[in-house]
Amino acid sequence: MHVVHLSVECFPLAKVGGLADVVGALPRYQRKLGVDAWVVCPFYDKPFTRDHNFSSIAKGSFFQGSEELHYEVLKETSDSLGFPLYLIHIPSKLDRQEIYCYPDEAEQWIAFQHAFLHWLKNSQIKPDVINCHDHHVGLIPFLTKHASDFKEFENVKTVFTVHNGQYQGWMNWSKGILLPAFDTWKWGLLDWDGLINPLAVAIKCCDAFTTVSEGYLQELYRQANGLEDLFFSEAAKGYGIVNGIDDAYWNPGEDKLIPVNYDVESSKKGKAKNKKVFCEKYGLDETLPLLTYIGRFATEKGADLLSEIVVNVFSNNENKISIFILGSGDTQIQTNLEKLLTEYPGRLAAFFGYNETLAHEVYAAADMILMPSRVEPCGLNQLYAMKYGTIPIVRRIGGLKDTVRDVSEKKGYGFVFPEATPEDAASAIERALDYIGQRGKMQTIRRKEMELDFSWDKSAQQYIDLYNRL
Ligand code: ADP
């Protein structure tokens, strides 16, 4: 079976969040299971594209409105990611330093999708399945069925994976003329509430859609940023498949980015050594439990609650805990946290920005990780944290609910709180502090979570089972 994953993120080529981690790992696990899985992404101006060798395998051009766009398809020569990686190079449209936040984003993603289909058609490549990831490539299930130039793909199955339903890629109908020619009487499939909505298009037109956890699938029927009714009416083709973790890269036993490697048996000493190095670097007290937050500063992640949680926790637990925050995004959230850094020197430290190496160091050094998310389709942080023996303190939502079991339950190994409020988060942190303060508890819980199996093997097979059903 030949499957093409189409995405605008793929680790380590280009990453903003979990989407990249999934697209950079899932195809490798699928290949191990006998599927010929490829990845197709835009060619960006990024370190990965500068440091790797590519061979040109196709060139072409098409009109986007009145603008003629030329593209080149480049294949990474050594397949260093463990799967064939194809990048579509469209000068001035896609070869940029950042992935998102350009004013012509609609033009960028339409061009990427058009070039992809144009290339497949002209190279006579006909995959069995195109697995599209998130709204940036949400027009593909429509175009393969209704664009006059791409009729040969009518029977190619399309699977659409929702990594985040909050972002939908809305565009004004004035962008409609930029799309490849399509049966105009099908325009209604493109429309949602008077806009072209690529996420809605994908859900309407795909053969099946998946979400990155079962819990998130159920939540989308009630809370999907305006698409609740659509998800509900298309429920028959929806599947929840939880993300896995790439244990070739996220593995404390072999991780080259952390100071000291460790496994379950050596986790007590190993984590203590990592924590010592880390606390010395950031001026924190290594004898105190270390709580961390890693992630985007977005309200969806509950990052706006962090300052209040920090104040709340410190005021009730003086000298009982240190906190380290790694994140970037909303500048107001960052400003609020910066103020607190001066109020709690030696107890609160932070790094504002994106830093992959630091994330690994933090997972290895921290005792607990906090995720006060309002929306969490799957959440990878808690999975990485547990793999590194770091206890998750998470809100009961989406994938967090599916992957973290509270210590009060049978075989529990984490702390779950009901609402995304500073009070609920702070009381869960206090509960965790009390718990790990008891002799031997910390190591017992750490062992339990490090032995959990969140590898991709099972989930990669579930995707393949779905492709086979289609
Ligand atoms: P989302 O995709 O919604 O941002 P996920 O939990 O699915 O959330 O994935 C987040 C990924 O991004 C993880 O790999 C996490 O370690 C990483 N990450 C988030 N923020 C940062 C940061 N500031 N520095 C390094 N890694 C980060």
Side-chain angles (χ1 to χ4, degrees):
M1 182 170 26
H2 181 204
V3 177
V4 176
H5 291 273
L6 191 65
S7 168
V8 302
E9 289 190 41
C10 174
F11 182 79
L13 162 74
K15 170 170 168 177
V16 169
L19 167 62
D21 288 354
V22 172
V23 177
L26 172 61
R28 182 154 22 90
Y29 286 79
Q30 291 184 330
R31 290 185 77 80
K32 278 203 271 179
L33 295 167
V35 167
D36 182 16
W38 300 2
V39 172
V40 179
C41 282
F43 181 98
Y44 299 105
D45 178 14
K46 288 215 169 258
F48 184 93
T49 48
R50 291 193 282 271
D51 300 345
H52 287 73
N53 293 321
F54 295 90
S55 45
S56 173
I57 60 146
K59 282 183 182 173
S61 65
F62 57 88
F63 276 91
Q64 179 153 293
S66 57
E67 186 184 10
E68 186 174 16
L69 293 179
H70 295 267
Y71 71 86
E72 182 173 14
V73 181
L74 300 156
K75 180 177 183 295
E76 201 251 321
T77 29
S78 61
D79 287 350
S80 66
L81 303 188
F83 49 77
L85 174 68
Y86 295 87
L87 303 184
I88 298 184
H89 188 210
I90 307 183
S92 84
K93 275 275 180 298
L94 299 179
D95 54 348
R96 308 202 181 152
Q97 292 187 348
E98 302 301 329
I99 308 173
Y100 303 120
C101 293
Y102 293 105
D104 61 346
E105 207 163 79
E107 283 82 348
Q108 287 188 286
W109 304 144
I110 292 173
F112 174 53
Q113 294 172 88
H114 194 160
F116 168 68
L117 292 177
H118 198 272
W119 160 49
L120 290 194
K121 178 187 166 106
N122 289 302
S123 307
Q124 297 192 338
I125 299 168
K126 205 167 177 188
D128 297 300
V129 178
I130 303 174
N131 194 151
C132 304
H133 296 267
D134 268 354
H135 71 82
H136 325 95
V137 289
L139 298 175
I140 293 288
F142 173 83
L143 295 174
T144 51
K145 292 190 173 67
H146 305 297
S148 39
D149 275 350
F150 302 120
K151 286 282 181 209
E152 57 267 68
F153 299 117
E154 213 168 19
N155 297 322
V156 170
K157 300 297 175 193
T158 52
V159 172
F160 184 82
T161 301
V162 186
H163 296 258
N164 195 327
Q166 293 298 106
Y167 306 100
Q168 301 175 0
W170 309 268
M171 27 178 128
N172 199 287
W173 264 102
S174 61
K175 305 286 182 200
I177 53 156
L178 303 178
L179 297 178
F182 58 91
D183 305 341
T184 44
W185 61 280
K186 296 281 184 192
W187 73 271
L189 290 171
L190 293 169
D191 188 83
W192 192 265
D193 267 352
L195 293 171
I196 297 177
N197 181 323
L199 178 60
V201 177
I203 301 304
K204 291 183 207 178
C205 301
C206 67
D207 294 292
F209 71 91
T210 65
T211 60
V212 288
S213 70
E214 177 62 33
Y216 187 54
L217 177 65
Q218 300 306 323
E219 279 163 22
L220 284 173
Y221 303 140
R222 297 188 306 273
Q223 194 196 343
N225 211 0
L227 298 188
E228 300 76 11
D229 290 348
L230 177 62
F231 275 107
F232 193 71
S233 66
E234 299 286 353
K237 58 181 188 185
Y239 300 82
I241 305 179
V242 71
N243 285 340
I245 58 178
D246 184 354
D247 42 23
Y249 185 69
W250 295 99
N251 180 351
E254 291 167 13
D255 191 334
K256 294 186 180 65
L257 301 175
I258 60 175
V260 179
N261 290 119
Y262 57 92
D263 57 15
V264 186
E265 299 311 327
S266 59
S267 57
K268 192 171 179 185
K269 280 193 183 147
K271 278 193 75 77
K273 285 184 193 156
N274 282 294
K275 187 171 168 186
K276 184 173 175 16
V277 176
F278 186 83
C279 287
E280 275 168 11
K281 192 160 145 199
Y282 287 94
L284 296 170
D285 182 347
E286 64 174 285
T287 65
L288 296 180
L290 176 60
L291 172 77
T292 189
Y293 170 92
I294 302 177
R296 291 183 288 120
F297 288 161
T299 49
E300 188 191 331
K301 296 278 172 197
D304 53 310
L305 308 173
L306 285 174
S307 328
E308 237 181 295
I309 295 171
V310 167
V311 173
N312 202 322
V313 168
F314 281 145
S315 56
N316 293 336
N317 301 277
E318 222 179 328
N319 299 326
K320 278 204 210 152
I321 187 169
S322 313
I323 301 179
F324 182 84
I325 292 170
L326 165 60
S328 59
D330 186 298
T331 47
Q332 188 57 51
I333 294 176
Q334 179 170 332
T335 310
N336 294 345
L337 290 168
E338 273 164 350
K339 280 187 206 139
L340 292 182
L341 286 174
T342 51
E343 274 177 51
Y344 301 106
R347 297 169 66 196
L348 173 68
F351 179 92
F352 299 120
Y354 187 90
N355 187 324
E356 186 77 23
T357 304
L358 183 54
H360 285 246
E361 290 169 359
V362 178
Y363 287 121
D367 297 300
M368 300 164 284
I369 188 164
L370 174 69
M371 298 180 72
S373 308
R374 289 194 177 83
V375 180
E376 196 59 83
C378 175
L380 288 170
N381 295 3
Q382 81 281 10
L383 303 184
Y384 298 149
M386 290 192 276
K387 181 90 184 170
Y388 284 69
T390 302
I391 300 165
I393 304 175
V394 303
R395 175 162 181 234
R396 189 181 296 122
I397 189 95
L400 298 175
K401 189 175 65 184
D402 290 4
T403 56
V404 179
R405 192 177 293 177
D406 193 272
V407 287
S408 61
E409 291 172 44
K410 199 173 169 201
K411 297 190 182 162
Y413 45 81
F415 296 84
V416 182
F417 55 93
E419 296 302 329
T421 61
E423 296 73 27
D424 279 12
S427 86
I429 293 167
E430 282 173 28
R431 199 156 60 89
L433 281 176
D434 283 347
Y435 193 89
I436 61 172
Q438 298 167 45
R439 197 180 160 82
K441 291 273 194 191
M442 174 81 133
Q443 209 40 37
T444 313
I445 198 172
R446 190 174 270 161
R447 178 177 275 277
K448 263 191 218 169
E449 59 188 30
M450 286 182 81
E451 281 174 345
L452 295 170
D453 179 12
F454 286 114
S455 82
W456 262 113
D457 297 310
K458 202 167 127 209
S459 301
Q461 184 62 53
Q462 286 176 314
Y463 275 92
I464 294 171
D465 293 344
L466 171 60
Y467 303 152
N468 277 324
R469 272 204 294 280
L470 295 177

